[in-house]
Amino acid sequence: MPLHIDSTILQSRLFLGTATYPSPEILRQSIEAAQPGLLTVSLRRENAAGKGQKFWDIIKSFNIPVLPNTAGCYGVDEAVTTAEMAREVFESNWIKLEVLGDDYTLQPNPFALLDATEKLIAKGFKVFPYMTDDLVLAQRLAEAGCDILMPWGAPIGSGRGLNNPYALKILRERFPDKTLVVDAGIGAPSHAAAAMEMGYDAILLNTAVAKAGDPVQMARAFAQSIDAGRKAYRSGIIAPQETGTPSTPLIDKPFWHQEQ
């Protein structure tokens, strides 16, 4: 199901990261299997042994929109400078903004994130902020001009899924007109489907595919789960209840149960 961001139509609600794949060929096959709507790329990728050019050739060959990110940045100035470099390289104002605050959890620094967001929006960027699921932070980022919010499900690369479903549901309820993307911590297709069933607009993931036993099959599985989750949300999922409800009407018995 397509997703509209500004005037760009993304053909899938799966946003796929491009780091830590076993090989360039596995990366290529995984992208082909997932058919993502967006590819995320870090300017900090290591260009060793001539592999960098092959990586860029693969990315360009798919003609899929690219979202550069400021992965690995811990300070406001560093993140803003990296974003400006990305704009020159990709000729795009889109930026996934990461400003980390903790080495252990890779949790975003909310104060630096907001500061960097305000500076980049003033410079004409469309900021995709990687954030925690904190409601007040979301409100401040929205007030700063963010049309897209990207709360984590769990720490980057942890594979823990949705640590705080309640907080994620509250964000969806409080920001019905914003594009919300679960970014980080997704480990299994069921995690992605659960977020989409809440009404999230897209899922951004990397490690769950790149480090899977079979990245290509996992990429395909995630694409299917995200599509299924979105369709379920749009179809209207029944509300859970405490008691059972018979699926067979009790007004009258079916003819095959009638006594002779």
Side-chain angles (χ1 to χ4, degrees):
M1 294 183 178
L3 173 65
H4 292 73
I5 297 181
D6 295 335
S7 59
T8 301
I9 301 176
L10 307 181
Q11 295 302 322
S12 169
R13 291 169 183 266
L14 167 57
F15 299 173
L16 188 65
T18 56
T20 69
Y21 285 78
S23 70
E25 178 58 21
I26 294 297
L27 169 62
R28 185 194 66 76
Q29 292 180 25
S30 298
I31 296 172
E32 190 172 73
Q35 292 295 303
L38 201 62
L39 292 171
T40 64
V41 176
S42 171
L43 291 183
R44 293 170 178 263
R45 282 189 57 87
E46 184 177 355
N47 187 5
K51 294 181 179 179
Q53 186 58 52
K54 187 171 184 179
F55 167 80
W56 287 117
D57 289 344
I58 291 171
I59 298 301
K60 293 176 182 177
S61 69
F62 283 96
N63 196 32
I64 293 172
V66 171
L67 177 66
N69 67 53
T70 62
C73 291
Y74 281 82
V76 173
D77 292 342
E78 181 185 21
V80 170
T81 299
T82 301
E84 290 175 327
M85 292 171 57
R87 179 155 61 181
E88 292 182 11
V89 171
F90 296 101
E91 299 181 343
S92 172
N93 289 328
W94 288 12
I95 191 73
K96 176 189 170 183
L97 180 61
E98 294 184 23
V99 189
L100 303 179
D102 182 73
D103 289 328
Y104 183 69
T105 63
L106 300 181
Q107 179 171 323
N109 180 329
F111 311 103
L113 177 65
L114 180 59
D115 189 3
T117 295
E118 291 172 340
K119 287 180 168 59
L120 289 172
I121 288 177
K123 291 175 179 287
F125 282 89
K126 186 175 188 66
V127 176
F128 294 58
Y130 164 60
M131 55 177 286
T132 60
D133 52 27
D134 184 85
L135 174 61
V136 176
L137 175 59
Q139 291 171 332
R140 294 294 302 277
L141 289 168
E143 291 168 1
C146 288
D147 297 319
I148 297 170
L149 301 173
M150 299 176 59
W152 68 354
I156 294 173
S158 68
R160 294 179 58 86
L162 309 182
N163 271 356
N164 194 341
Y166 170 78
L168 293 172
K169 288 179 181 178
I170 291 297
L171 289 179
R172 180 68 285 177
E173 291 172 3
R174 295 291 291 273
F175 298 97
D177 299 325
K178 298 293 184 184
T179 298
L180 299 187
V181 181
V182 171
D183 175 15
I186 297 295
S190 57
H191 301 157
M196 296 302 291
E197 288 171 4
M198 288 182 192
Y200 273 73
D201 296 289
I203 304 293
L204 195 159
L205 56 90
N206 189 160
T207 307
V209 171
K211 294 189 176 181
D214 186 336
V216 178
Q217 287 298 331
M218 188 62 75
R220 186 173 291 110
F222 269 109
Q224 293 170 347
S225 71
I226 289 170
D227 185 52
R230 180 65 180 178
K231 287 178 178 176
Y233 170 72
R234 293 293 300 274
S235 299
I237 300 170
I238 65 171
Q241 54 189 23
E242 298 297 327
T243 60
T245 301
S247 56
T248 302
L250 299 179
I251 296 175
D252 196 6
K253 293 182 179 180
F255 70 87
W256 56 86
H257 285 168
Q258 291 178 356
E259 296 180 359
Q260 300 296 325

